[in-house]
Every structure is written in C-alpha cells, then in structure tokens.
Amino acid sequence: MLLEVENLKKHFPARGGGTVRAVDGVSFAVDAGQTYALVGESGCGKTTIARQLLLLERPSAGTIRFDGQDVLALDRKGVLGYRRQVQAVFQDPSSSLNPRLKVGMLLAEPLLAHGQGGDRAALRRRLLELLEIVGLPPGALDLYPHEFSGGQRQRIAVARALALQPRLIVLDEPTSALDVSIRAQIVNLLSDIQRSFGLAYVVIAHDLALVEHFSSAVGVMYLGNMAESGPSAAVFSTPRHPYTQALLGSAPRPDPDHQPAEGLILGDIGSALNPPAGCKFHPRCPRAVPACATEIPRMLRLDPAAGSAAPAHVAACHLLH
Ligand code: SF4
C-alpha cells in the first residue's frame, strides 16, 4: 500500500471553550496508481485531512504511513523526501500560482528548491517536457499566469505538481473553480497522467459526478468520521449508509429524468464543536432509531466475501448490524 492513514484525528480547543473534533478517527488506504476520493459536505473534515497529508497541519493522533514509513516521525531530511513525493493541486489556480512569476519560473521553482534543476539546458528541457505533458505550448514559459484561461492555469498547476515526479498528488477540489465545460478536460488530463506515470491521487471533492467516474475508491465523511467507504463502483451502485444514500439522492445527475430526492437530509450539517452524541448524523437522519441518539455505530464490513486486493466496503450505521 502506498499510503495508509489510520485513526487520524484533529482536535483543538474552541475559543469559547469546548473541543472542536474536526477529524475524529479516520482510516483509509491508497495503492500506487489508484485514486481515493474523500467526499462530504463542507465542514466534514476532508480538507483538514488533505492538509494533514501535506504536513501543513499536524494530527492530534493517528498515523500516516507512506511506502511503509511513519510520516509523522520523519526527520527534516525525511520530510523533504516526503514533500518531493507527495504534491498538491488546489481548487483555485489563481491563488495557488504566484502572479508575479512567469510560468517558466513557476515550474522551475520546485526543481531548484530540491536541487534537481540540473544545468540550464537540462532545466529548460524538463520545463518544456512538463508543458507538453499538460498540453501547453513552449511559448507558455514566458507568460504570466493571468495571461491564461482558468483551465490553462489549472494545467500549469498540474505541471508544477509533476515537476518533481511525485508518487502521490493530493487534489483539493481540482475542478470546482472551473467552468463546467472545462472540467472534463482537466479530469481527462489527470486520468491520462495517472496512467502514464502510475501516480496515486487523493481527491477531495463535493462533486459526486466527478468522483464516481474518477476514483477507484471513495470515503464518505460526516462531521469528522467516515460514514461509508469502499470501491467506488460498490458505494455508488449500492450505498448502504443513510447519509451516502441521501448525498447520492440529492446530487445533480446527468440523467435528465432523475429527480433529486427531496427531504432526505434534514437541516444543516452540525458542528464539529460538541457534535451530537451517538451517531453524529442522527439529528438529520430520516431512518434514525432510538439507539442512534446514544450509541456510536461500529464500522461494519459489508462485503466479507470480497478479495483482499479490493478495498473493503464498510459503513457505520446501526441499521446494518
Ligand atoms: Fe441514521 Fe442511526 Fe444509521 Fe446513524 S446509525 S445513519 S442515525 S440509522
């Protein structure tokens, strides 16, 4: 397994007292060349997990293993090596790319920072190669980010993430700032790159249509916990957790005959500060039973007969026990 996340937590004291449980014991794993998607409403903790994977935030507890190594125990040199292998593409390329730098410098920066630029000719060759991979012309090197469209800017961000030949890229809502017409192009580009280089992705997204076709496995998060997780084909075709069912029922679908199910999710996502007891989803769950308000549901494996190579289909709901 390339990346293994176990029982990850991020708790911090709230200003007015109490504890915010932004991430409250999340586990998942990603194999080389695979895509794992984390989905859920904003406030569910998925962005905090992305920041923890990128070492921008330190977890309160839990482990992150990359290629068998405990990432949270790495020394300075180890962290540098990890950062080389784990890159990121963020939602809005306008804010993630320094507007004062030409594309050539934007792409060269990570190589120079890690001492991998080589001589001038080798660096230029690598920059042109990166542009070609993402489908931009050589002339792009001498232009500033604002001289490109949103989709082209995201291509530049992808090229920059590829510069150090990473093994994993964290994609944080990679298409949600783009026009709908451009989204498919970026998804196709990311898929092609994944196939060519055997890259793994962790994609953070609320766009379920994107996730369904792009990811091999998916984790559905609710208020800091995993509600359901498993192979995307299984979770999307037979969602078992009432929250996943509600999310899928309310997602806009390409099928014009599909009417979004109404009233499935009641009210807003709660707060990670003093979350509800028992199943955190119970105040909004249309199928809640009395035990849901007091007892935390255990994660249950739903596909005991499945082969060990596929990620397990699991869900945490009293109705499944
Ligand atoms: Fe709904 Fe209860 Fe299942 Fe939670 S445990 S999803 S409240 S039925």
Side-chain angles (χ1 to χ4, degrees):
M1 218 29 97
L2 184 65
L3 176 76
E4 291 165 283
V5 171
E6 252 177 60
N7 206 18
L8 206 64
K9 294 186 182 177
K10 182 69 183 182
H11 295 174
F12 51 88
R15 244 182 250 145
T19 303
V20 177
R21 297 168 181 273
V23 178
D24 206 14
V26 167
S27 304
F28 62 94
V30 192
D31 222 341
Q34 301 292 306
T35 299
Y36 190 91
L38 280 172
V39 301
E41 293 160 281
S42 55
C44 71
K46 57 192 195 297
T47 299
T48 304
I49 293 180
R51 292 179 58 77
Q52 291 176 331
L53 293 179
L54 296 168
L55 300 182
L56 300 173
E57 274 186 39
R58 202 166 172 87
S60 316
T63 54
I64 301 173
R65 265 192 300 279
F66 185 77
D67 217 6
Q69 274 197 312
D70 181 352
V71 171
L72 301 174
L74 291 173
D75 59 13
R76 255 175 93 87
K77 199 168 155 230
V79 166
L80 213 65
Y82 176 74
R83 291 216 153 108
R84 208 164 47 231
Q85 297 186 76
V86 180
Q87 293 285 314
V89 172
F90 295 102
Q91 177 175 358
D92 185 1
S94 310
S95 52
S96 64
L97 299 174
N98 185 341
R100 286 187 292 273
L101 296 183
K102 287 183 177 170
V103 170
M105 185 41 84
L106 282 169
L107 299 186
E109 222 179 27
L111 290 161
L112 297 173
H114 285 264
Q116 301 207 343
D119 62 24
R120 240 181 126 77
L123 180 62
R124 189 173 166 78
R125 265 201 309 280
R126 178 71 181 136
L127 301 187
L128 292 174
E129 200 174 83
L130 288 167
L131 286 179
E132 195 184 340
I133 293 169
V134 300
L136 289 173
L141 287 183
D142 298 316
L143 301 175
Y144 289 95
H146 75 262
E147 297 179 85
F148 294 88
S149 68
Q152 288 170 326
R153 275 198 293 271
Q154 198 58 310
R155 286 174 190 266
I156 297 166
V158 171
R160 187 175 148 95
L162 288 174
L164 291 165
Q165 298 179 286
R167 298 171 70 195
L168 171 78
I169 300 186
V170 177
L171 303 165
D172 189 1
E173 302 275 8
T175 59
S176 56
L178 304 176
D179 286 351
V180 176
S181 57
I182 305 296
R183 288 182 189 175
Q185 291 177 17
I186 296 297
V187 171
N188 290 341
L189 173 71
L190 290 167
S191 299
D192 291 347
I193 288 171
Q194 180 170 53
R195 268 194 300 277
S196 304
F197 301 106
L199 268 172
Y201 294 140
V202 172
V203 59
I204 310 294
H206 67 268
D207 180 352
L208 292 168
L210 160 83
V211 169
E212 182 170 4
H213 301 292
F214 186 51
S215 63
S216 33
V218 60
V220 180
M221 286 188 65
Y222 189 79
L223 270 188
N225 292 106
M226 204 67 97
E228 181 163 1
S229 171
S232 297
V235 173
F236 279 93
S237 65
T238 48
R240 303 289 299 278
H241 192 285
Y243 180 60
T244 315
Q245 292 168 348
L247 267 189
L248 292 176
S250 59
R253 300 237 136 196
D255 176 3
D257 296 331
H258 176 90
Q259 291 299 315
E262 285 183 16
L264 269 174
I265 307 185
L266 314 164
D268 293 329
I269 191 168
S271 165
L273 170 65
N274 305 322
C279 172
K280 291 179 182 173
F281 185 51
H282 84 259
R284 303 170 76 194
C285 180
R287 298 173 61 197
V289 294
C292 301
T294 52
E295 291 170 36
I296 298 172
R298 274 184 303 111
M299 195 61 102
L300 186 74
R301 182 155 187 173
L302 304 166
D303 59 348
S308 58
H313 186 182
V314 293
C317 172
H318 290 305
L319 301 180
L320 300 171
H321 286 264

